[in-house]
């Protein structure tokens, strides 16, 4: 006969219908090294993988938050919306796609623009949000960027544009393509007024954006490993029927071949932009 008897604790009963309400964004998986990262740590590191330095894509307002002086950003033209000039319809109506993107991002279009200060230096900013229809450029994006440049001309403030785009927005046809010339013409006037334009290319910067104003900076900067080019690598390989060099259309390849001026990591971008602005003669 046993003097002691060990009773097992009863297993807790779990209702299969019970919801645990675990947020989807507690963990993030790095697309480059497949590391699973605590999302709060990733946000604290400005969306850069702590293991392999992969730069996650950022929402426009998050990028502005880590870049400019605290409480210095004053948004411009946030109420501008497309009027669907072609009344475009495909599997989904363009108007429905716009509403879906607006609900998803809280933005009216893919550009967030405004005035701000970077280490005390006043600048005018235009920042793409790739999460709004792939950062595709339509009439609203073109108009907002043109107004950014015109404000830089009128107030003699440096212009900085952060690009992240799949190119022109097909839903607006020729009206979308015209924005390439429109923004580029405004930048030509900016150059003649001796006000600097700094272009920052992030992942991805492609299509009509890469083919026009994204490459027209007095200084062209890219984030590490950003995809930059007109057509995608698979399209080019299919056209020329040749295997492309390793790293083709990535920032490092473009720097090596003279297409951009420098590569700057996200956590160093604010300091680097400040130094460039000082070298252009702008000081706080």
């Amino acid at each position: 006969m046993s003097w002691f008897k060990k009773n097992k604790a009863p297993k807790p009963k779990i209702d299969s219908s019970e919801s645990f309400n675990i947020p989807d964004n507690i963990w993030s998986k790095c697309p480059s090294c497949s590391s699973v990262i605590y999302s709060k740590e990733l946000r604290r590191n400005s969306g850069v993988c702590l293991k392999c330095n992969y730069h996650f894509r950022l929402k426009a307002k998050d990028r502005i938050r880590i870049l400019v002086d605290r409480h210095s950003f004053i948004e411009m033209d946030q109420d501008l919306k497309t009027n669907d000039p072609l009344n475009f319809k495909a599997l989904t109506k363009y108007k429905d796609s716009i509403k879906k993107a607006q609900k998803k991002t809280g933005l009216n279009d893919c550009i967030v623009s405004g005035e701000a200060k970077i280490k005390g230096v006043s600048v005018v900013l235009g920042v793409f949000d790739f999460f709004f229809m792939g950062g595709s450029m339509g009439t609203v994006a073109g108009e907002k960027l043109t107004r950014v440049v015109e404000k830089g001309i009128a107030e003699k403030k440096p212009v900085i544009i952060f690009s992240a785009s799949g190119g022109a927005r097909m839903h607006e046809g020729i009206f979308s393509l015209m924005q390439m010339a429109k923004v580029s013409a405004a930048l030509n006037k900016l150059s003649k007024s001796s006000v600097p334009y700094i272009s920052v290319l992030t992942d991805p910067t492609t299509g009509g954006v890469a083919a026009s104003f994204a490459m027209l900076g007095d200084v062209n900067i890219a984030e590490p490993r950003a995809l930059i080019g007109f057509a995608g690598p698979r399209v080019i390989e299919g056209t020329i029927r040749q295997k492309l060099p390793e790293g083709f259309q990535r920032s490092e390849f473009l720097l090596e071949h003279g297409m951009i001026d420098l590569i700057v990591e996200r956590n160093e971008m604010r300091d680097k932009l400040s130094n460039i602005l000082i070298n252009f003669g702008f000081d706080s």
Side-chain angles (χ1 to χ4, degrees), residues 111-240:
I111 295 288
V112 178
S113 60
E115 303 173 76
K117 290 186 177 181
I118 297 177
K119 290 197 168 185
V121 178
S122 295
V123 299
V124 195
L125 279 174
V127 181
F128 276 82
D129 194 312
F130 189 78
F131 297 96
F132 192 105
M133 297 185 70
S136 52
M137 180 181 60
T139 51
V140 171
E143 179 63 21
K144 291 184 79 168
L145 290 175
T146 300
R147 293 186 186 187
V148 163
V149 177
E150 288 174 345
K151 192 169 189 65
I153 296 170
E155 300 184 8
K156 298 293 182 182
K157 291 179 180 179
V159 170
I160 304 174
I161 295 176
F162 280 79
S163 298
S165 174
R169 189 175 296 173
M170 66 173 187
H171 309 74
E172 298 187 17
I174 188 65
F175 295 101
S176 176
L177 295 174
M178 288 167 61
Q179 307 312 308
M180 298 165 58
K182 179 177 178 177
V183 179
S184 298
L187 287 170
N188 184 48
K189 292 182 180 179
L190 182 77
S191 178
K192 289 179 178 178
S193 67
S194 300
V195 177
Y197 162 46
I198 302 171
S199 177
V200 184
L201 300 93
T202 71
D203 184 62
T205 299
T206 59
V209 172
S212 56
F213 56 85
M215 287 293 190
L216 294 179
D218 295 298
V219 180
N220 292 321
I221 303 172
E223 286 190 334
R225 288 187 267 177
L227 176 66
I228 302 167
F230 181 66
R234 284 179 295 179
V235 174
I236 296 172
E237 283 186 342
T239 302
I240 66 174

Side-chain angles (χ1 to χ4, degrees), residues 235-249:
V235 174
I236 296 172
E237 283 186 342
T239 302
I240 66 174
R241 298 179 183 179
Q242 292 182 27
K243 186 69 178 174
L244 296 171
E246 188 175 349
F248 180 75
Q249 289 189 321

Side-chain angles (χ1 to χ4, degrees), residues 2-70:
S2 176
W3 288 94
F4 300 99
K5 187 177 181 181
K6 187 176 181 180
N7 294 322
K8 292 183 178 179
K11 292 182 179 180
K13 293 181 179 179
I14 298 175
D15 182 355
S16 61
S17 65
E18 181 180 354
S19 173
F20 289 92
N21 294 319
I22 299 175
D24 294 332
N25 60 350
I26 288 180
W27 301 97
S28 299
K29 185 176 180 180
C30 177
S32 178
C33 68
S34 299
S35 296
V36 178
I37 311 162
Y38 190 37
S39 292
K40 282 189 177 179
E41 289 185 2
L42 185 61
R43 285 193 289 271
R44 279 195 290 266
N45 201 39
S46 305
V48 178
C49 178
L50 291 84
K51 301 290 178 65
C52 71
N53 204 41
Y54 174 80
H55 285 49
F56 283 71
R57 292 169 182 171
L58 278 186
K59 295 178 181 177
K61 291 192 175 180
D62 288 338
R63 188 178 295 281
I64 291 167
R65 177 180 53 80
I66 64 176
L67 179 71
V68 307
D69 298 355
R70 195 175 182 185

